[in-house]
Amino acid sequence: MIAILKHHDDAIHFDPLDREDQEERKRSQQWVEGRTCREWCGGFLCVDGTPFNLFQKPGWHGEGFFDKNSNYSLTAQVVILPHNLRIVDYVIGVPGSLRDSNVFGRTRVARNPDDFFGVNQWLWADSAYASQVWCVTPFKRLPGGALTRDQKTFNYRLSKVRVRSEHFFGSIKGRFQSL
C-alpha cells in the first residue's frame, strides 16, 4: 500500500470539471460502447474491492479483520476507468470483515455521485453492490427462480466491462507480489 501511496498525486486524480479528465471520460465511454452497445456508453467507471491478507491477527480489534475467507485482511476498494485501468477513487486499509458495498460507501464517488455523474451516466459494479441510478449491477437469480434470457444477456455484456476491475487488481497483485 505504501508503494501505491508513493505515486498518489502523480497517478490518482479525477476532476470531472477538468478538461483533460472530461476527455478521459469520453475515451472510456467510447471504449465501453465498442465492447457493448451505444446505449451503454453512459457507463464510464468500474468499482470493485479485494482483500490483502495480513500475516497474522492484528493486536488491536483483530476480530474485525477476519474476513469471509477465514483470513485476517485489509480491504482495498478502487474506482477505475475501464479502458486504461486508471484509478479515479479508492479506499484502502479498511478491516477485511466489511463488505465491498460498505467500503464503497467511503469513496468520494459514493458520497458525492452528483460530482461524478451527469444524466445517463453511471458506474459498473458486481452483485455485491446496491443498485442505484448511478450504479449498474447484474441481475440476481431469486431463490428457486431463474434469470430470463434477456437478463442473462445483460449480465454477460456487463461482465465484459466490469471484468476490467478484476484485471486492475490482477495487475497490482502481479506487480507487487507481496500483496
Side-chain angles (χ1 to χ4, degrees):
M1 288 186 211
I2 293 170
I4 294 170
L5 290 175
K6 182 178 177 182
H7 300 285
H8 179 275
D9 293 340
D10 297 329
I12 302 170
H13 58 84
F14 189 82
D15 179 357
L17 301 177
D18 180 73
R19 183 180 206 92
E20 287 182 32
D21 288 339
Q22 289 174 356
E23 290 299 318
E24 200 67 34
R25 179 189 341 220
K26 286 179 188 174
R27 285 191 286 277
S28 181
Q29 289 174 312
Q30 290 167 348
W31 184 90
V32 168
E33 182 179 346
R35 276 149 188 80
T36 57
C37 62
R38 181 159 178 69
E39 291 78 15
W40 283 26
C41 71
F44 68 95
L45 296 174
C46 293
V47 62
D48 204 4
T50 194
F52 291 103
N53 292 336
L54 301 173
F55 173 70
Q56 64 186 24
K57 177 181 176 180
W60 289 70
H61 308 289
E63 297 77 24
F65 294 85
F66 198 70
D67 65 25
K68 65 181 179 181
N69 299 322
S70 300
N71 296 310
Y72 294 102
S73 66
L74 294 173
T75 297
Q77 185 86 201
V78 295
V79 179
I80 62 162
L81 293 162
H83 72 293
N84 63 4
L85 305 183
R86 186 175 129 200
I87 300 172
V88 170
D89 197 6
Y90 69 96
V91 173
I92 58 174
V94 177
S97 62
L98 296 179
R99 299 189 181 273
D100 281 351
S101 59
N102 183 299
V103 179
F104 176 59
R106 299 172 185 219
T107 64
R108 284 186 317 135
V109 172
R111 286 182 287 139
N112 304 301
D114 294 339
D115 292 348
F116 290 86
F117 306 107
V119 176
N120 297 320
Q121 292 181 334
W122 62 88
L123 66 80
W124 306 102
D126 64 28
S127 60
Y129 298 84
S131 183
Q132 306 275 347
V133 172
W134 48 268
C135 182
V136 175
T137 62
F139 287 99
K140 295 180 186 178
R141 185 180 60 80
L142 298 175
L147 295 177
T148 67
R149 184 176 181 169
D150 287 344
Q151 289 171 328
K152 288 178 184 178
T153 300
F154 177 91
N155 287 356
Y156 171 75
R157 294 190 188 237
L158 184 146
S159 71
K160 292 180 78 142
V161 175
R162 206 203 58 71
V163 72
R164 295 294 287 171
S165 59
E166 305 296 341
H167 293 166
F168 169 82
F169 281 118
S171 68
I172 291 292
K173 288 184 176 186
R175 174 72 172 95
F176 303 102
Q177 294 180 9
S178 62
L179 298 176

